[in-house]
Short mmCIF file of all heavy atoms in Angstrom, two decimals:
data_model
loop_
_atom_site.label_atom_id
_atom_site.label_comp_id
_atom_site.label_asym_id
_atom_site.label_seq_id
_atom_site.Cartn_x
_atom_site.Cartn_y
_atom_site.Cartn_z
N TRP A 16 94.18 116.01 65.29
CA TRP A 16 92.95 115.95 66.08
C TRP A 16 91.86 116.82 65.44
O TRP A 16 90.73 116.36 65.24
CB TRP A 16 93.23 116.41 67.51
CG TRP A 16 92.03 116.54 68.36
CD1 TRP A 16 91.32 115.53 68.94
CD2 TRP A 16 91.36 117.75 68.73
NE1 TRP A 16 90.26 116.05 69.65
CE2 TRP A 16 90.27 117.40 69.53
CE3 TRP A 16 91.60 119.09 68.45
CZ2 TRP A 16 89.40 118.35 70.06
CZ3 TRP A 16 90.74 120.04 68.98
CH2 TRP A 16 89.66 119.66 69.77
N LEU A 17 92.22 118.05 65.11
CA LEU A 17 91.24 118.96 64.51
C LEU A 17 90.82 118.49 63.13
O LEU A 17 89.63 118.55 62.78
CB LEU A 17 91.82 120.38 64.45
CG LEU A 17 90.86 121.48 64.06
CD1 LEU A 17 89.72 121.57 65.07
CD2 LEU A 17 91.59 122.79 63.97
N SER A 18 91.75 118.00 62.34
CA SER A 18 91.42 117.51 60.99
C SER A 18 90.51 116.29 61.05
O SER A 18 89.57 116.17 60.26
CB SER A 18 92.69 117.16 60.24
OG SER A 18 93.51 118.28 60.10
N THR A 19 90.78 115.39 61.98
CA THR A 19 89.92 114.22 62.14
C THR A 19 88.54 114.63 62.60
O THR A 19 87.53 114.12 62.12
CB THR A 19 90.55 113.22 63.12
OG1 THR A 19 91.86 112.89 62.69
CG2 THR A 19 89.74 111.94 63.22
N LEU A 20 88.50 115.57 63.53
CA LEU A 20 87.22 116.04 64.05
C LEU A 20 86.40 116.73 62.97
O LEU A 20 85.18 116.60 62.94
CB LEU A 20 87.49 117.00 65.21
CG LEU A 20 86.34 117.35 66.13
CD1 LEU A 20 85.80 116.11 66.80
CD2 LEU A 20 86.81 118.34 67.17
N VAL A 21 87.05 117.44 62.06
CA VAL A 21 86.33 118.13 60.99
C VAL A 21 85.97 117.17 59.85
O VAL A 21 84.90 117.28 59.25
CB VAL A 21 87.18 119.31 60.46
CG1 VAL A 21 86.63 119.87 59.17
CG2 VAL A 21 87.27 120.39 61.51
N SER A 22 86.85 116.20 59.58
CA SER A 22 86.62 115.32 58.43
C SER A 22 85.46 114.35 58.65
O SER A 22 84.79 113.98 57.68
CB SER A 22 87.89 114.54 58.10
OG SER A 22 88.17 113.58 59.09
N LEU A 23 85.20 113.96 59.88
CA LEU A 23 84.11 113.01 60.12
C LEU A 23 82.73 113.56 59.73
O LEU A 23 82.02 112.92 58.96
CB LEU A 23 84.12 112.56 61.59
CG LEU A 23 85.10 111.46 61.92
CD1 LEU A 23 85.19 111.27 63.42
CD2 LEU A 23 84.70 110.17 61.25
N PRO A 24 82.33 114.73 60.23
CA PRO A 24 81.01 115.23 59.80
C PRO A 24 80.95 115.58 58.32
O PRO A 24 79.91 115.37 57.68
CB PRO A 24 80.80 116.49 60.65
CG PRO A 24 81.76 116.39 61.76
CD PRO A 24 82.89 115.56 61.28
N LEU A 25 82.05 116.09 57.77
CA LEU A 25 82.04 116.41 56.35
C LEU A 25 81.91 115.17 55.49
O LEU A 25 81.21 115.16 54.48
CB LEU A 25 83.30 117.19 55.97
CG LEU A 25 83.39 118.62 56.48
CD1 LEU A 25 84.71 119.23 56.06
CD2 LEU A 25 82.24 119.44 55.96
N TRP A 26 82.61 114.13 55.89
CA TRP A 26 82.63 112.91 55.09
C TRP A 26 81.36 112.09 55.30
O TRP A 26 80.66 111.76 54.34
CB TRP A 26 83.88 112.12 55.45
CG TRP A 26 83.95 110.73 54.93
CD1 TRP A 26 83.53 110.29 53.71
CD2 TRP A 26 84.47 109.60 55.61
NE1 TRP A 26 83.78 108.94 53.59
CE2 TRP A 26 84.36 108.51 54.75
CE3 TRP A 26 85.04 109.41 56.86
CZ2 TRP A 26 84.78 107.23 55.11
CZ3 TRP A 26 85.47 108.16 57.20
CH2 TRP A 26 85.34 107.08 56.33
N LEU A 27 81.06 111.74 56.54
CA LEU A 27 79.91 110.86 56.81
C LEU A 27 78.59 111.59 56.78
O LEU A 27 77.57 111.03 56.39
CB LEU A 27 80.10 110.17 58.16
CG LEU A 27 81.25 109.18 58.25
CD1 LEU A 27 81.39 108.66 59.67
CD2 LEU A 27 81.07 108.04 57.27
N GLY A 28 78.59 112.83 57.23
CA GLY A 28 77.33 113.55 57.33
C GLY A 28 76.90 114.24 56.06
O GLY A 28 75.72 114.38 55.79
N TRP A 29 77.86 114.66 55.26
CA TRP A 29 77.52 115.48 54.11
C TRP A 29 77.75 114.77 52.80
O TRP A 29 76.90 114.75 51.92
CB TRP A 29 78.32 116.77 54.17
CG TRP A 29 78.07 117.72 53.06
CD1 TRP A 29 76.87 118.14 52.59
CD2 TRP A 29 79.06 118.35 52.26
NE1 TRP A 29 77.05 119.02 51.55
CE2 TRP A 29 78.38 119.15 51.33
CE3 TRP A 29 80.44 118.31 52.24
CZ2 TRP A 29 79.07 119.92 50.39
CZ3 TRP A 29 81.11 119.08 51.32
CH2 TRP A 29 80.42 119.87 50.41
N GLN A 30 78.91 114.14 52.62
CA GLN A 30 79.25 113.55 51.32
C GLN A 30 78.90 112.08 51.20
O GLN A 30 79.03 111.51 50.15
CB GLN A 30 80.73 113.75 51.04
CG GLN A 30 81.09 115.19 50.81
CD GLN A 30 82.52 115.34 50.37
OE1 GLN A 30 83.32 114.43 50.49
NE2 GLN A 30 82.86 116.51 49.86
N SER A 31 78.47 111.47 52.26
CA SER A 31 78.16 110.05 52.21
C SER A 31 76.70 109.84 51.83
O SER A 31 75.83 110.64 52.16
CB SER A 31 78.44 109.41 53.57
OG SER A 31 78.07 108.06 53.55
#
Side-chain angles (χ1 to χ4, degrees):
W16 173 77
L17 189 61
S18 300
T19 305
L20 195 60
V21 168
S22 70
L23 279 170
L25 289 178
W26 169 38
L27 294 175
W29 180 49
Q30 292 187 345
S31 177

